[in-house]
């Protein structure tokens, strides 16, 4: 059973990540996604710090799906955060990127 949606905790400027949680039954799984990964997914580079949570919300479904997949593939424990980086989305990003001739 995939992880369930938790809460968005917000943008952490020091770590350059958006922090959020997922739920594994009654266990809260801390998660984070790098701003670089979100920029790669969305194909943007000019997102301001105050716009990061909105960017997360636009990409939330694909981010949470990948967080769940990574959690189970790596057999993470609830006490270790799931941190998503650009390479976790390499297939998704290549599909979304416009092809150049």
């Amino acid at each position: 059973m995939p992880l369930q949606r938790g809460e968005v905790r917000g943008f952490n400027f020091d770590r350059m990540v958006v922090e959020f949680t997922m739920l594994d039954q009654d266990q809260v799984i801390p998660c984070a996604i790098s701003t670089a990964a979100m920029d790669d997914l969305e194909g943007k580079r000019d997102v301001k710090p105050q716009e990061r949570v909105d960017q997360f919300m636009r990409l939330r479904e694909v981010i949470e799906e990948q967080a769940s997949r990574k959690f189970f593939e790596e057999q993470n424990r609830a006490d270790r955060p799931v941190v998503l980086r650009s390479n976790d989305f390499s297939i998704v990003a290549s599909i979304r990127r416009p092809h150049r001739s």
Side-chain angles (χ1 to χ4, degrees):
M1 183 168 136
L3 297 178
Q4 300 301 306
R5 178 172 284 177
E7 65 181 9
V8 180
R9 293 198 167 154
F11 177 58
N12 181 324
F13 186 82
D14 293 333
R15 293 181 54 214
M16 296 303 286
V17 297
V18 172
E19 298 172 329
F20 62 103
T21 62
M22 299 288 288
L23 304 172
D24 184 19
Q25 297 177 2
D26 61 345
Q27 289 279 349
V28 175
I29 312 299
C31 302
I33 181 167
S34 71
T35 56
M38 291 194 304
D39 289 348
D40 287 348
L41 278 172
E42 201 167 42
K44 290 187 174 184
R45 292 281 178 252
D46 58 348
V47 181
K48 294 174 178 45
Q50 65 270 20
E51 299 171 335
R52 289 297 183 179
V53 172
D54 289 338
Q55 182 184 32
F56 175 87
M57 298 305 285
R58 289 190 299 272
L59 301 167
R60 189 172 189 171
E61 191 171 319
V62 72
I63 291 168
E64 290 176 338
E65 183 179 306
Q66 186 61 30
S68 181
R69 185 176 296 121
K70 185 171 183 176
F71 177 81
F72 289 109
E73 284 175 0
E74 296 183 2
Q75 299 174 344
N76 276 355
R77 301 186 322 248
D79 62 335
R80 291 167 68 198
V82 175
V83 180
L84 300 173
R85 305 198 187 292
S86 291
N87 62 340
D88 292 312
F89 296 93
S90 56
I91 293 172
V92 174
S94 66
I95 292 170
R96 289 186 173 199
R97 253 186 231 123
H99 298 302
R100 295 180 185 171
S101 303

